Amino acid sequence: MSIAKAGQEPKSFGATFWAGITGHCPNCGRGKLFDGYLKLAPRCNVCGLDYNFADSGDGPAVFVILVTGFIVVGAALIVEVLYAPPYWLHALLWGSLSILLPLILLRSFKGVLIALQFKHKAEEGKLASD
């Protein structure tokens, strides 16, 4: 893994978080992190950081499911209590939101998890005996 250049200060949590949300390199904050919607680029096109360290696994999907469920169920309950719309309207509103919200959130959640992996130098776990 390529680390920040000598003399370069580590980024703050906010800068790291913002780089992840916007899909930029966690090292320089200017290069592209993604080469497509969810596919990682092989390396940063500005600073050359190799993205082989990045393995977000199922983490982004789990967080997106939890956030989407919280928003959709909460909003559906509030709308039901306040307005009591027909069931077809519930299905239209919350079904659409349940499809769109994960598509909107997944890329930024993946970017944030990868940026945090870089910031904290996260690695695969190893047994003490190894």
Side-chain angles (χ1 to χ4, degrees), residues 1-124:
M1 168 176 23
S2 248
I3 304 298
K5 294 176 184 165
Q8 185 177 354
E9 247 181 67
K11 291 182 152 220
S12 68
F13 176 76
T16 301
F17 196 78
W18 184 250
I21 286 176
T22 58
H24 289 102
C25 174
N27 186 36
C28 68
R30 295 185 317 262
K32 290 173 29 175
L33 182 62
F34 295 102
D35 188 24
Y37 180 63
L38 289 175
K39 183 181 178 212
L40 282 180
R43 64 185 34 82
C44 176
N45 58 350
V46 175
C47 71
L49 174 68
D50 185 9
Y51 294 144
N52 281 334
F53 71 90
D55 181 20
S56 61
D58 293 333
V62 170
F63 286 121
V64 166
I65 289 168
L66 293 172
V67 168
T68 299
F70 179 78
I71 291 170
V72 170
V73 170
L77 288 172
I78 290 170
V79 168
E80 176 62 30
V81 168
L82 293 178
Y83 303 108
Y87 291 129
W88 67 265
L89 187 56
H90 273 299
L92 182 68
L93 287 172
W94 312 123
S96 300
L97 190 60
S98 295
I99 292 169
L100 291 176
L101 202 53
L103 291 173
I104 293 167
L105 295 176
L106 191 55
R107 180 179 165 123
S108 59
F109 276 45
K110 184 172 183 172
V112 167
L113 285 177
I114 290 170
L116 290 173
Q117 279 180 344
F118 176 78
K119 179 175 177 54
H120 297 291
K121 299 174 183 72
E123 294 179 349
E124 186 175 339

